[in-house]
PDB file of all heavy atoms in Angstrom:
ATOM      1  N   GLY R 264     108.996  91.141  64.348  1.00 89.00           N
ATOM      2  CA  GLY R 264     108.719  89.788  64.204  1.00 89.00           C
ATOM      3  C   GLY R 264     107.232  89.483  64.743  1.00 89.00           C
ATOM      4  O   GLY R 264     106.279  90.364  64.736  1.00 89.00           O
ATOM      5  N   ARG R 265     107.057  88.294  65.344  1.00 91.00           N
ATOM      6  CA  ARG R 265     105.832  87.762  65.688  1.00 91.00           C
ATOM      7  C   ARG R 265     105.396  88.732  66.934  1.00 91.00           C
ATOM      8  O   ARG R 265     105.969  88.835  68.035  1.00 91.00           O
ATOM      9  CB  ARG R 265     105.754  86.346  66.198  1.00 91.00           C
ATOM     10  CG  ARG R 265     104.462  85.745  66.582  1.00 91.00           C
ATOM     11  CD  ARG R 265     104.642  84.193  66.658  1.00 91.00           C
ATOM     12  NE  ARG R 265     103.245  83.595  66.890  1.00 91.00           N
ATOM     13  CZ  ARG R 265     102.881  83.269  68.011  1.00 91.00           C
ATOM     14  NH1 ARG R 265     103.659  83.491  69.130  1.00 91.00           N
ATOM     15  NH2 ARG R 265     101.759  82.663  68.238  1.00 91.00           N
ATOM     16  N   THR R 266     104.123  89.341  66.653  1.00 93.00           N
ATOM     17  CA  THR R 266     103.617  90.254  67.631  1.00 93.00           C
ATOM     18  C   THR R 266     102.112  90.156  67.907  1.00 93.00           C
ATOM     19  O   THR R 266     101.387  89.981  66.793  1.00 93.00           O
ATOM     20  CB  THR R 266     103.925  91.805  67.139  1.00 93.00           C
ATOM     21  OG1 THR R 266     105.295  91.856  67.020  1.00 93.00           O
ATOM     22  CG2 THR R 266     103.480  92.633  68.265  1.00 93.00           C
ATOM     23  N   PHE R 267     101.730  90.222  69.146  1.00 94.00           N
ATOM     24  CA  PHE R 267     100.213  90.111  69.508  1.00 94.00           C
ATOM     25  C   PHE R 267      99.648  91.533  69.313  1.00 94.00           C
ATOM     26  O   PHE R 267      99.940  92.316  70.210  1.00 94.00           O
ATOM     27  CB  PHE R 267     100.018  89.510  70.829  1.00 94.00           C
ATOM     28  CG  PHE R 267      98.523  89.296  71.111  1.00 94.00           C
ATOM     29  CD1 PHE R 267      97.927  88.048  70.616  1.00 94.00           C
ATOM     30  CD2 PHE R 267      97.798  90.102  71.686  1.00 94.00           C
ATOM     31  CE1 PHE R 267      96.581  87.725  70.892  1.00 94.00           C
ATOM     32  CE2 PHE R 267      96.421  89.852  71.973  1.00 94.00           C
ATOM     33  CZ  PHE R 267      95.898  88.571  71.524  1.00 94.00           C
ATOM     34  N   LYS R 268      98.802  91.765  68.234  1.00 92.00           N
ATOM     35  CA  LYS R 268      98.232  93.041  68.006  1.00 92.00           C
ATOM     36  C   LYS R 268      96.818  93.128  68.831  1.00 92.00           C
ATOM     37  O   LYS R 268      95.918  92.470  68.602  1.00 92.00           O
ATOM     38  CB  LYS R 268      97.892  93.311  66.596  1.00 92.00           C
ATOM     39  CG  LYS R 268      97.294  94.632  66.281  1.00 92.00           C
ATOM     40  CD  LYS R 268      97.125  94.821  64.717  1.00 92.00           C
ATOM     41  CE  LYS R 268      96.480  96.230  64.368  1.00 92.00           C
ATOM     42  NZ  LYS R 268      96.320  96.338  62.856  1.00 92.00           N
ATOM     43  N   ALA R 269      96.870  93.902  69.938  1.00 90.00           N
ATOM     44  CA  ALA R 269      95.728  94.025  70.829  1.00 90.00           C
ATOM     45  C   ALA R 269      94.699  95.047  70.329  1.00 90.00           C
ATOM     46  O   ALA R 269      95.071  96.048  70.083  1.00 90.00           O
ATOM     47  CB  ALA R 269      96.246  94.270  72.287  1.00 90.00           C
ATOM     48  N   HIS R 270      93.474  94.650  70.399  1.00 87.00           N
ATOM     49  CA  HIS R 270      92.459  95.567  70.309  1.00 87.00           C
ATOM     50  C   HIS R 270      91.860  96.199  71.534  1.00 87.00           C
ATOM     51  O   HIS R 270      91.345  97.286  71.569  1.00 87.00           O
ATOM     52  CB  HIS R 270      91.228  94.899  69.425  1.00 87.00           C
ATOM     53  CG  HIS R 270      91.664  94.417  68.095  1.00 87.00           C
ATOM     54  ND1 HIS R 270      92.012  95.211  67.011  1.00 87.00           N
ATOM     55  CD2 HIS R 270      91.845  93.168  67.655  1.00 87.00           C
ATOM     56  CE1 HIS R 270      92.245  94.510  65.911  1.00 87.00           C
ATOM     57  NE2 HIS R 270      92.249  93.275  66.346  1.00 87.00           N
ATOM     58  N   SER R 271      92.033  95.415  72.660  1.00 83.00           N
ATOM     59  CA  SER R 271      91.780  95.891  73.921  1.00 83.00           C
ATOM     60  C   SER R 271      92.768  95.514  74.997  1.00 83.00           C
ATOM     61  O   SER R 271      93.369  94.577  74.857  1.00 83.00           O
ATOM     62  CB  SER R 271      90.346  95.398  74.410  1.00 83.00           C
ATOM     63  OG  SER R 271      90.456  94.067  74.684  1.00 83.00           O
ATOM     64  N   LEU R 272      92.976  96.411  76.001  1.00 85.00           N
ATOM     65  CA  LEU R 272      94.008  96.068  77.060  1.00 85.00           C
ATOM     66  C   LEU R 272      93.334  96.482  78.494  1.00 85.00           C
ATOM     67  O   LEU R 272      92.741  97.470  78.604  1.00 85.00           O
ATOM     68  CB  LEU R 272      95.157  96.962  76.861  1.00 85.00           C
ATOM     69  CG  LEU R 272      96.359  96.852  77.955  1.00 85.00           C
ATOM     70  CD1 LEU R 272      97.527  97.183  77.251  1.00 85.00           C
ATOM     71  CD2 LEU R 272      96.209  97.740  79.076  1.00 85.00           C
ATOM     72  N   ILE R 273      93.349  95.434  79.316  1.00 78.00           N
ATOM     73  CA  ILE R 273      92.857  95.580  80.638  1.00 78.00           C
ATOM     74  C   ILE R 273      93.902  95.372  81.662  1.00 78.00           C
ATOM     75  O   ILE R 273      94.608  94.340  81.571  1.00 78.00           O
ATOM     76  CB  ILE R 273      91.689  94.693  80.845  1.00 78.00           C
ATOM     77  CG1 ILE R 273      90.549  95.013  79.906  1.00 78.00           C
ATOM     78  CG2 ILE R 273      91.140  94.824  82.259  1.00 78.00           C
ATOM     79  CD1 ILE R 273      89.365  94.023  80.014  1.00 78.00           C
ATOM     80  N   VAL R 274      94.081  96.202  82.641  1.00 76.00           N
ATOM     81  CA  VAL R 274      95.088  96.068  83.720  1.00 76.00           C
ATOM     82  C   VAL R 274      94.385  94.969  84.716  1.00 76.00           C
ATOM     83  O   VAL R 274      93.360  95.352  85.309  1.00 76.00           O
ATOM     84  CB  VAL R 274      95.515  97.370  84.378  1.00 76.00           C
ATOM     85  CG1 VAL R 274      96.440  97.175  85.428  1.00 76.00           C
ATOM     86  CG2 VAL R 274      96.150  98.246  83.351  1.00 76.00           C
ATOM     87  N   ASN R 275      95.089  93.959  85.010  1.00 69.00           N
ATOM     88  CA  ASN R 275      94.383  92.956  85.789  1.00 69.00           C
ATOM     89  C   ASN R 275      94.375  93.287  87.326  1.00 69.00           C
ATOM     90  O   ASN R 275      93.457  92.854  87.985  1.00 69.00           O
ATOM     91  CB  ASN R 275      95.272  91.532  85.645  1.00 69.00           C
ATOM     92  CG  ASN R 275      95.090  91.137  84.235  1.00 69.00           C
ATOM     93  OD1 ASN R 275      94.231  91.458  83.355  1.00 69.00           O
ATOM     94  ND2 ASN R 275      96.012  90.168  83.806  1.00 69.00           N
ATOM     95  N   GLN R 276      95.349  93.847  87.821  1.00 60.00           N
ATOM     96  CA  GLN R 276      95.424  94.194  89.269  1.00 60.00           C
ATOM     97  C   GLN R 276      94.241  95.145  89.530  1.00 60.00           C
ATOM     98  O   GLN R 276      93.703  95.755  88.767  1.00 60.00           O
ATOM     99  CB  GLN R 276      96.774  94.757  89.707  1.00 60.00           C
ATOM    100  CG  GLN R 276      97.093  96.024  89.204  1.00 60.00           C
ATOM    101  CD  GLN R 276      98.588  96.343  89.419  1.00 60.00           C
ATOM    102  OE1 GLN R 276      99.400  96.266  88.490  1.00 60.00           O
ATOM    103  NE2 GLN R 276      98.909  96.904  90.537  1.00 60.00           N
ATOM    104  N   ASN R 277      94.084  95.329  90.930  1.00 60.00           N
ATOM    105  CA  ASN R 277      93.086  96.227  91.307  1.00 60.00           C
ATOM    106  C   ASN R 277      93.305  97.610  90.546  1.00 60.00           C
ATOM    107  O   ASN R 277      94.306  98.304  90.767  1.00 60.00           O
ATOM    108  CB  ASN R 277      93.223  96.418  92.816  1.00 60.00           C
ATOM    109  CG  ASN R 277      92.086  97.447  93.348  1.00 60.00           C
ATOM    110  OD1 ASN R 277      92.042  98.673  93.182  1.00 60.00           O
ATOM    111  ND2 ASN R 277      91.138  96.977  94.160  1.00 60.00           N
ATOM    112  N   GLU R 278      92.291  98.141  89.742  1.00 62.00           N
ATOM    113  CA  GLU R 278      92.494  99.247  88.986  1.00 62.00           C
ATOM    114  C   GLU R 278      92.740 100.452  89.779  1.00 62.00           C
ATOM    115  O   GLU R 278      93.666 101.282  89.496  1.00 62.00           O
ATOM    116  CB  GLU R 278      91.214  99.365  88.146  1.00 62.00           C
ATOM    117  CG  GLU R 278      91.371 100.490  87.122  1.00 62.00           C
ATOM    118  CD  GLU R 278      90.089 100.856  86.288  1.00 62.00           C
ATOM    119  OE1 GLU R 278      88.942 100.701  86.755  1.00 62.00           O
ATOM    120  OE2 GLU R 278      90.201 101.103  85.134  1.00 62.00           O
ATOM    121  N   LEU R 279      92.049 100.667  90.881  1.00 69.00           N
ATOM    122  CA  LEU R 279      92.372 101.872  91.710  1.00 69.00           C
ATOM    123  C   LEU R 279      93.632 101.781  92.318  1.00 69.00           C
ATOM    124  O   LEU R 279      94.326 102.860  92.364  1.00 69.00           O
ATOM    125  CB  LEU R 279      91.257 101.928  92.857  1.00 69.00           C
ATOM    126  CG  LEU R 279      91.437 103.175  93.798  1.00 69.00           C
ATOM    127  CD1 LEU R 279      91.296 104.425  92.990  1.00 69.00           C
ATOM    128  CD2 LEU R 279      90.316 103.087  94.894  1.00 69.00           C
ATOM    129  N   PHE R 280      94.134 100.680  92.793  1.00 67.00           N
ATOM    130  CA  PHE R 280      95.506 100.471  93.376  1.00 67.00           C
ATOM    131  C   PHE R 280      96.434 100.938  92.187  1.00 67.00           C
ATOM    132  O   PHE R 280      97.437 101.682  92.476  1.00 67.00           O
ATOM    133  CB  PHE R 280      95.777  99.092  93.756  1.00 67.00           C
ATOM    134  CG  PHE R 280      97.092  98.859  94.365  1.00 67.00           C
ATOM    135  CD1 PHE R 280      97.305  98.972  95.745  1.00 67.00           C
ATOM    136  CD2 PHE R 280      98.211  98.652  93.547  1.00 67.00           C
ATOM    137  CE1 PHE R 280      98.602  98.815  96.235  1.00 67.00           C
ATOM    138  CE2 PHE R 280      99.514  98.310  94.060  1.00 67.00           C
ATOM    139  CZ  PHE R 280      99.578  98.550  95.476  1.00 67.00           C
ATOM    140  N   PHE R 281      96.294 100.543  91.006  1.00 62.00           N
ATOM    141  CA  PHE R 281      97.183 100.659  89.901  1.00 62.00           C
ATOM    142  C   PHE R 281      97.308 102.236  89.676  1.00 62.00           C
ATOM    143  O   PHE R 281      98.524 102.739  89.641  1.00 62.00           O
ATOM    144  CB  PHE R 281      96.723  99.992  88.623  1.00 62.00           C
ATOM    145  CG  PHE R 281      97.411 100.271  87.446  1.00 62.00           C
ATOM    146  CD1 PHE R 281      98.768  99.787  87.181  1.00 62.00           C
ATOM    147  CD2 PHE R 281      97.054 101.359  86.471  1.00 62.00           C
ATOM    148  CE1 PHE R 281      99.538  99.901  85.976  1.00 62.00           C
ATOM    149  CE2 PHE R 281      97.945 101.586  85.353  1.00 62.00           C
ATOM    150  CZ  PHE R 281      98.983 100.915  85.113  1.00 62.00           C
ATOM    151  N   PHE R 282      96.204 102.927  89.525  1.00 65.00           N
ATOM    152  CA  PHE R 282      96.370 104.317  89.170  1.00 65.00           C
ATOM    153  C   PHE R 282      96.818 105.202  90.471  1.00 65.00           C
ATOM    154  O   PHE R 282      97.568 106.036  90.218  1.00 65.00           O
ATOM    155  CB  PHE R 282      94.971 104.858  88.794  1.00 65.00           C
ATOM    156  CG  PHE R 282      94.497 104.400  87.324  1.00 65.00           C
ATOM    157  CD1 PHE R 282      93.521 103.490  86.998  1.00 65.00           C
ATOM    158  CD2 PHE R 282      95.279 104.871  86.356  1.00 65.00           C
ATOM    159  CE1 PHE R 282      93.300 103.121  85.853  1.00 65.00           C
ATOM    160  CE2 PHE R 282      95.007 104.482  85.011  1.00 65.00           C
ATOM    161  CZ  PHE R 282      93.913 103.711  84.768  1.00 65.00           C
ATOM    162  N   LEU R 283      96.357 104.843  91.693  1.00 71.00           N
ATOM    163  CA  LEU R 283      96.774 105.702  92.864  1.00 71.00           C
ATOM    164  C   LEU R 283      98.332 105.542  93.005  1.00 71.00           C
ATOM    165  O   LEU R 283      99.045 106.512  93.132  1.00 71.00           O
ATOM    166  CB  LEU R 283      96.119 105.181  94.084  1.00 71.00           C
ATOM    167  CG  LEU R 283      94.680 105.544  94.117  1.00 71.00           C
ATOM    168  CD1 LEU R 283      94.148 105.080  95.588  1.00 71.00           C
ATOM    169  CD2 LEU R 283      94.546 107.044  94.108  1.00 71.00           C
ATOM    170  N   ASN R 284      98.826 104.154  92.744  1.00 64.00           N
ATOM    171  CA  ASN R 284     100.238 103.937  93.050  1.00 64.00           C
ATOM    172  C   ASN R 284     101.173 104.432  91.812  1.00 64.00           C
ATOM    173  O   ASN R 284     102.277 104.852  92.265  1.00 64.00           O
ATOM    174  CB  ASN R 284     100.355 102.452  93.255  1.00 64.00           C
ATOM    175  CG  ASN R 284     101.831 101.944  93.494  1.00 64.00           C
ATOM    176  OD1 ASN R 284     102.288 101.165  92.947  1.00 64.00           O
ATOM    177  ND2 ASN R 284     102.540 102.671  94.332  1.00 64.00           N
ATOM    178  N   ARG R 285     100.663 104.402  90.742  1.00 60.00           N
ATOM    179  CA  ARG R 285     101.498 104.548  89.510  1.00 60.00           C
ATOM    180  C   ARG R 285     101.323 105.920  89.028  1.00 60.00           C
ATOM    181  O   ARG R 285     102.289 106.441  88.250  1.00 60.00           O
ATOM    182  CB  ARG R 285     101.384 103.475  88.590  1.00 60.00           C
ATOM    183  CG  ARG R 285     101.837 102.245  89.041  1.00 60.00           C
ATOM    184  CD  ARG R 285     102.030 101.270  87.768  1.00 60.00           C
ATOM    185  NE  ARG R 285     102.354  99.985  88.383  1.00 60.00           N
ATOM    186  CZ  ARG R 285     103.033  99.017  87.683  1.00 60.00           C
ATOM    187  NH1 ARG R 285     103.416  99.331  86.535  1.00 60.00           N
ATOM    188  NH2 ARG R 285     103.386  97.860  88.162  1.00 60.00           N
ATOM    189  N   VAL R 286     100.194 106.496  89.001  1.00 60.00           N
ATOM    190  CA  VAL R 286      99.797 107.708  88.298  1.00 60.00           C
ATOM    191  C   VAL R 286      99.636 108.974  89.132  1.00 60.00           C
ATOM    192  O   VAL R 286     100.010 110.047  88.805  1.00 60.00           O
ATOM    193  CB  VAL R 286      98.572 107.406  87.325  1.00 60.00           C
ATOM    194  CG1 VAL R 286      98.236 108.714  86.624  1.00 60.00           C
ATOM    195  CG2 VAL R 286      98.630 106.253  86.463  1.00 60.00           C
ATOM    196  N   VAL R 287      98.879 108.787  90.278  1.00 68.00           N
ATOM    197  CA  VAL R 287      98.551 109.901  91.085  1.00 68.00           C
ATOM    198  C   VAL R 287      99.709 110.214  92.056  1.00 68.00           C
ATOM    199  O   VAL R 287     100.142 109.310  92.721  1.00 68.00           O
ATOM    200  CB  VAL R 287      97.329 109.637  91.913  1.00 68.00           C
ATOM    201  CG1 VAL R 287      96.882 110.949  92.705  1.00 68.00           C
ATOM    202  CG2 VAL R 287      96.068 109.234  91.003  1.00 68.00           C
ATOM    203  N   LYS R 288     100.054 111.484  92.085  1.00 70.00           N
ATOM    204  CA  LYS R 288     101.232 111.896  92.768  1.00 70.00           C
ATOM    205  C   LYS R 288     100.987 111.807  94.374  1.00 70.00           C
ATOM    206  O   LYS R 288      99.841 112.275  94.667  1.00 70.00           O
ATOM    207  CB  LYS R 288     101.713 113.236  92.336  1.00 70.00           C
ATOM    208  CG  LYS R 288     102.337 113.454  91.066  1.00 70.00           C
ATOM    209  CD  LYS R 288     102.759 114.780  90.749  1.00 70.00           C
ATOM    210  CE  LYS R 288     103.318 114.817  89.339  1.00 70.00           C
ATOM    211  NZ  LYS R 288     103.730 116.236  88.913  1.00 70.00           N
ATOM    212  N   GLY R 289     101.889 111.203  95.131  1.00 73.00           N
ATOM    213  CA  GLY R 289     101.740 111.271  96.543  1.00 73.00           C
ATOM    214  C   GLY R 289     101.265 109.910  97.071  1.00 73.00           C
ATOM    215  O   GLY R 289     101.492 109.613  98.318  1.00 73.00           O
ATOM    216  N   PHE R 290     100.808 109.020  96.305  1.00 78.00           N
ATOM    217  CA  PHE R 290     100.144 107.759  96.847  1.00 78.00           C
ATOM    218  C   PHE R 290     101.270 106.703  96.670  1.00 78.00           C
ATOM    219  O   PHE R 290     101.571 106.105  95.649  1.00 78.00           O
ATOM    220  CB  PHE R 290      98.951 107.420  96.124  1.00 78.00           C
ATOM    221  CG  PHE R 290      97.746 108.063  96.522  1.00 78.00           C
ATOM    222  CD1 PHE R 290      97.316 109.291  95.802  1.00 78.00           C
ATOM    223  CD2 PHE R 290      96.949 107.695  97.473  1.00 78.00           C
ATOM    224  CE1 PHE R 290      96.350 110.066  96.197  1.00 78.00           C
ATOM    225  CE2 PHE R 290      95.714 108.328  97.852  1.00 78.00           C
ATOM    226  CZ  PHE R 290      95.450 109.495  97.167  1.00 78.00           C
TER     227      PHE R 290
END
């Protein structure tokens, strides 16, 4: 159905916090 087709996506929270907490093992 009705969908927003994004050409760009930016994570709003602190980028380093996002990656360390969610992507990098151990943080």
Side-chain angles (χ1 to χ4, degrees):
R265 189 169 182 264
T266 303
F267 190 83
K268 184 178 181 181
H270 298 291
S271 69
L272 179 151
I273 298 173
V274 178
N275 294 341
Q276 66 194 94
N277 182 292
E278 187 181 36
L279 182 61
F280 181 91
F281 174 81
F282 283 113
L283 288 181
N284 178 228
R285 298 196 181 203
V286 181
V287 184
K288 292 180 180 179
F290 286 86

